[in-house]
Amino acid sequence: MTMSASESTRRSAGIEMTGIEIIEESERTARPRNLFLPWFASNISVFGMSYGAFVLGFGISFWQATVATLLGVVVSFIFCGVIAIAGKRGSAPTMVASRAAFGVQGNKVPGIISWITSIGWETSLAISAVLATATVFSRLGWSSGTTVKVIAAIVVALLIVLGAVAGYHIIMRMQSVLTWVTGIVTIIYLVMAVRAIHWDAVAAIPSGPWQSVVGALTMVMTGMGLGWVNIAADWSRYQSREARGGSIVFWNTFGGSLGPVFLITFGLLLAGSSKNLSEAVQVDPVGALATILPTWFLVPFLVVAVLSLLSGAINGIYSSGLTLLSLGIRIPRPAASLIDGVILTAGTIYVVFLSPNFISPFQSFLVTLGVPLAAWAGIMMSDIALRRRAYDDADLFRPEGRYGAVDWVSLVTLVVVTAIGWGLVINQYPGVGWNDWQGYLLGPLGLGGREGSWAWANIGVIAALVLGFLVTFLARRSRVRHQESF
């Protein structure tokens, strides 16, 4: 039966109690433009500037990196916008709408992938906040040792969990404030950091092979929009039924892309101007950016940097809690966010204290989970493109309904396409040797093997997305038509 509840039972002391149940029509009052705030606030983080060093690390020029950035950011957030349409067509979170493509029970497979991905992203943002705190404290001459990192990890995790537990309505109000605060201070940072840009050094960076440009493009896509696709409909489920799909795509794309396009481009200029800064970013992505600031601005920078990172992490924890519930865990939504918060804290402590650097596990995580997530995104976008009607809300919760218990075509497609994608990526990053098994198709397909020019292009992510879309569009067309014939 349809899972629903009245508004009175969905809030307790201002906290949203809504889990994965259907949103009632009376609460679906949001307009497409309301999607700008959560997407903009989650992606205005100064962490975006660190991507400048990551992109140039592929051995390409500033202009090549700029093209890869623009395409990677905008296109990947268009994917988010397309999947957000599922929230308008249904009244449930992303990984519940995904049941239409995979079946009510079969969707647990991509659900687990989605949950792990969200946890990983939240943890990455929390780690950046902790490392930035330690770096700024050190610059100020304050204590910056183990005690500071432990306290910072606890405080960061606590703030993230509290925000996520509060839920949709409080988060939306909070994001409206964070958007202005982080936006203003970020602009001030950009003005103050201009002096650190040396155009001669940036222009002197030699061009790299186009395979490296593809690798940078893939990394940007995976780190930007593709990192959010699995939660894209969580915010649009409150959209009015009359909202236009094109408007939802636009406001998702505009809100998500606006900040990263400017921040990463500026980060390219900073990283290209200083090899030392570029190398420091690999260890401490946000804290390294503070090293070029005057001492008096360090505290405002730290506060806003942490708040911007928390903003993205709160959105992630909120959605990962919903995904956990979609897997069949029967607990209140706030409790699900709390469980994810405990895991986030443990992951943060591990990387901060035990990992030799930040960028190795981060990029390894992006590539490894980016492949199945891209495959799922291709399947989901194709399913959305094939449908002409809204989802049947009740059948999203009934294995005996029109969507069935398991859609074997989608599941087999996900597994096979993921296997192909993993064969076309490599993960030879220091400290993450357990991922060296990937790239097994680069040799047999004549792409130069694991040491060839195509190795670091990581085309497996793009291949997984394209193949997932095409196979689904061709193989499931008749099934979708049958589902919509009831």
Side-chain angles (χ1 to χ4, degrees), residues 386-389 402 480-486:
L386 287 171
R387 295 187 185 278
R388 297 293 178 267
R389 296 183 179 181
R402 70 184 67 194
V480 171
R481 293 290 171 265
H482 175 71
Q483 290 175 349
E484 296 192 325
S485 65
F486 288 93

Side-chain angles (χ1 to χ4, degrees), residues 174 304 451:
M174 178 186 68
V304 172
E451 303 299 328

Side-chain angles (χ1 to χ4, degrees), residues 389-418:
R389 296 183 179 181
Y391 298 114
D392 184 292
D393 293 338
D395 282 355
L396 288 174
F397 294 90
R398 298 192 305 121
E400 67 277 12
R402 70 184 67 194
Y403 306 120
V406 178
D407 190 306
W408 289 107
V409 173
S410 292
L411 275 182
V412 171
T413 300
L414 178 67
V415 172
V416 173
V417 168
T418 296

Side-chain angles (χ1 to χ4, degrees), residues 381-459:
M381 286 192 292
S382 186
D383 184 81
I384 291 172
L386 287 171
R387 295 187 185 278
R388 297 293 178 267
R389 296 183 179 181
Y391 298 114
D392 184 292
D393 293 338
D395 282 355
L396 288 174
F397 294 90
R398 298 192 305 121
E400 67 277 12
R402 70 184 67 194
Y403 306 120
V406 178
D407 190 306
W408 289 107
V409 173
S410 292
L411 275 182
V412 171
T413 300
L414 178 67
V415 172
V416 173
V417 168
T418 296
I420 294 173
W422 277 337
L424 296 172
V425 300
I426 63 171
N427 255 292
Q428 297 174 332
Y429 301 108
V432 287
W434 47 271
N435 261 345
D436 289 349
W437 54 271
Q438 296 170 356
Y440 43 80
L441 293 179
L442 291 169
L445 293 180
L447 297 175
R450 292 165 58 84
E451 303 299 328
S453 58
W454 279 104
W456 293 95
N458 287 326
I459 57 174

